[in-house]
Amino acid sequence: MRAAGTEASADAATPAPAPVSSSVGAEADDLAAPLYVAWQITNECNLACLHCIEESGPGKAFPDELDAAQVFSVIDQLMDSDVPYLSFSGGEPMLHPQFFAMVERVTSRGAELKIETNGHYLTRENCARLKELEVKAVQVSLDGAIAASFNRMRVRGDFDLAVQGLRNLRDAGVPVEINFSPAKFNMNEIGAAVDLAYELGAYSFYTGRTMYTGNAVKAWRHLQIEDDEYERFFDTLRQKVGEYRGRMRVYFHEAGLLDELRYRLQHPAALIIVLPNGLVKLINALPFVCGDFRTQTLTEIWANFRHAWRDPRVAAFVDELAVDPGRTRTLHQWVHL
Amino acid sequence: MRLAKFVKFREEKFGGVLFETKSEKVFTLSTSAAAIVREINVGGGDEAAVVARLKEQFDARDGDAIEREVKAFVADLRQRGLVEE
């Protein structure tokens, strides 16, 4: 046996782990399967948020979303391949007709599962069920410290309902994370939002830059934050990191999208994005599709994923973003690799 | 001793990975480190028990080295919050 020692434990995480999609730092090439599967289980949503990347909303479920047999088949493949960590998002994942059955299928096989929700269905009963099923965490979007800004960002949303949902999670003993998307009209609340997250029992707070894509393209004049405003935003967050050290982790992703994508080109994360219809994307912020769970196995998709990151069209798209950052408006025009 | 809650271990050709899913950090492991973590994950017990099982699997002439390396590596895992008692 050769020495294990310090050589054995290299922290491969990326330096700034704010958005989940960028935080699973182990590189894909050497791994037998993904380490993390971020699954948008439906595009249906009760809200129609100004900044929604997925353009989700009422009646926005894809016509070809995976049926019950297909979703359980995908879960079984992921579990059989020992994928240790999944997230369910949307749309609003709790609207999926098989939501709790899917959660149970994952957690009963020993994988960790995070739910990313708008918090409007976190009744006491649902929180008790999530606790019983031992989800790793529930991440709730809270884009504001007060009702006016939250309700403006989360069209059809109800701040009080989301906050009550967070209290129900805390009371049920479910670990809570909070995500905050900044806009021109809520960015000055960032300090108060961090304080509120702590008061509501969160163990982590995430934020970063809001992307110019999806619904945000149409609402950009209400959302856009200038560079000097972002500097103040991140300054406040730096103070909050220190203030809450040891009590709540405050994560923020300061780098712009272009820097993130250039890093990913060299170091693809062991993460796949599964869309509601079973298509698999390289990463949320690129339009490239590298697989389809309706017709391919995880093994096939994973092999293609690793090749796809080296496809010259991917690097070319990132180069084009440097010239025209507005290219992100085309992320929903999928390109199959 | 066991892997901390929310920590997942998977063996790979190069050794293995430890995934601390709460902070979403991944740690890559050499083959020898993965052997230690496998024993913690499956067999549990204290450091001495882990060392004893590894000595059975590997050349007993390396016994002292195994003991030293397990001690150092487990201390590293503890310091990172990846194992708990």
Side-chain angles (χ1 to χ4, degrees):
Chain A
M1 180 181 178
R2 288 188 55 231
T6 52
E7 68 173 313
S9 57
D11 181 352
T14 54
V20 169
S21 63
S22 70
S23 60
V24 183
E27 291 176 24
D29 267 352
D30 300 326
L31 296 168
L35 289 174
Y36 176 29
V37 172
W39 189 349
Q40 297 160 11
I41 62 175
T42 180
N43 206 50
E44 183 66 21
C45 192
N46 51 315
L47 310 185
C49 303
L50 286 185
H51 64 307
C52 183
I53 293 175
E54 310 305 334
E55 302 180 18
S56 304
K60 292 288 186 73
F62 292 173
D64 57 349
E65 293 194 355
L66 299 180
D67 63 24
Q70 288 170 319
V71 295
F72 292 123
S73 169
V74 172
I75 291 173
D76 289 345
Q77 284 190 66
L78 300 176
M79 298 300 99
D80 291 344
S81 296
D82 212 7
V83 173
Y85 185 34
L86 288 80
S87 64
F88 287 167
S89 63
E92 170 48 51
M94 295 185 74
L95 287 174
H96 192 289
Q98 302 295 329
F99 173 73
F100 279 112
M102 291 170 71
V103 171
E104 184 168 13
R105 191 83 154 220
V106 171
T107 59
S108 67
R109 295 284 301 268
E112 300 291 350
L113 177 66
K114 176 159 77 170
I115 310 299
E116 298 178 12
T117 172
N118 60 41
H120 285 55
Y121 296 97
L122 294 171
T123 61
R124 297 182 77 85
E125 294 74 20
N126 283 343
C127 292
R129 183 81 176 119
L130 291 167
K131 173 67 176 175
E132 180 188 13
L133 293 173
E134 297 186 281
V135 297
K136 188 215 80 166
V138 174
Q139 184 181 89
V140 179
S141 300
L142 200 64
D143 307 320
I146 58 172
S149 49
F150 176 93
N151 294 347
R152 184 173 176 191
M153 186 77 127
R154 303 241 150 218
V155 177
R156 298 169 179 251
D158 182 336
F159 176 77
D160 294 335
L161 194 57
V163 168
Q164 185 58 51
L166 282 158
R167 292 201 169 102
N168 291 343
L169 284 172
R170 180 191 59 194
D171 294 347
V174 179
V176 173
E177 301 178 359
I178 285 180
N179 186 67
F180 180 100
S181 295
K184 187 177 280 298
F185 57 82
N186 72 4
M187 56 161 289
N188 290 328
E189 294 167 30
I190 184 61
V194 174
D195 296 341
L196 178 60
Y198 181 72
E199 180 197 323
L200 292 169
Y203 76 88
S204 286
F205 182 95
Y206 295 88
T207 189
R209 295 171 187 261
T210 296
M211 272 178 60
Y212 178 72
T213 191
N215 287 350
V217 173
K218 284 173 282 187
W220 198 240
R221 70 182 190 282
H222 304 293
L223 301 173
Q224 186 175 16
I225 296 174
E226 302 300 333
D227 287 346
D228 60 329
E229 294 173 316
Y230 262 128
E231 281 179 28
R232 290 201 303 279
F233 180 78
F234 291 124
D235 281 346
T236 303
L237 285 160
R238 273 185 278 277
Q239 291 172 19
K240 291 296 178 185
V241 169
E243 185 180 336
Y244 285 101
R245 184 166 288 123
R247 297 186 291 160
M248 178 179 75
R249 284 172 295 187
V250 178
Y251 289 134
F252 58 95
H253 199 60
E254 199 167 353
L257 178 63
L258 193 58
D259 290 340
E260 165 80 15
L261 289 175
R262 282 179 168 153
Y263 181 82
R264 286 290 156 226
L265 278 173
Q266 301 303 315
H267 309 279
L271 155 68
I272 59 172
I273 311 286
V274 182
L275 302 182
N277 56 6
L279 294 181
V280 176
K281 283 183 75 178
L282 284 188
I283 192 170
N284 248 342
L286 289 174
F288 300 104
V289 169
C290 62
D292 183 350
F293 270 112
R294 292 169 300 191
T295 57
Q296 294 174 294
T297 65
L298 175 63
T299 304
E300 292 167 330
I301 292 168
W302 184 239
N304 198 41
F305 172 92
R306 290 180 286 177
H307 289 121
W309 271 106
R310 291 190 283 270
D311 189 297
R313 287 172 287 179
V314 178
F317 187 92
V318 174
D319 287 342
E320 288 166 24
L321 275 179
V323 180
D324 176 15
R327 281 296 306 275
T328 50
R329 73 175 77 84
T330 65
L331 293 184
H332 293 292
Q333 296 167 19
W334 299 324
V335 178
H336 293 256
L337 298 176
Chain B
M1 180 172 51
R2 63 188 175 199
L3 292 183
K5 191 171 170 61
F6 303 120
V7 175
K8 297 294 177 186
F9 170 61
R10 190 172 80 194
E11 296 197 53
E12 296 284 347
K13 281 183 185 170
F14 58 81
V17 287
L18 273 178
F19 191 173
E20 205 287 277
T21 61
K22 201 155 188 184
S23 61
E24 296 174 352
K25 281 190 174 181
V26 176
F27 302 83
T28 56
L29 305 175
S30 67
T31 51
S32 52
I36 296 171
V37 172
R38 186 192 314 122
E39 288 305 319
I40 294 170
N41 196 35
V42 175
D46 58 14
E47 278 177 35
V50 170
V51 168
R53 291 199 297 273
L54 288 169
K55 282 181 178 175
E56 286 176 12
Q57 295 172 37
F58 295 93
D59 191 338
R61 288 171 297 184
D62 290 341
D64 288 347
I66 290 173
E67 200 163 337
R68 278 196 305 275
E69 295 307 326
V70 169
K71 191 172 180 180
F73 184 58
V74 167
D76 191 18
L77 293 174
R78 281 205 179 96
Q79 190 265 329
R80 294 174 187 267
L82 297 170
V83 292
E84 61 189 17
E85 304 306 323

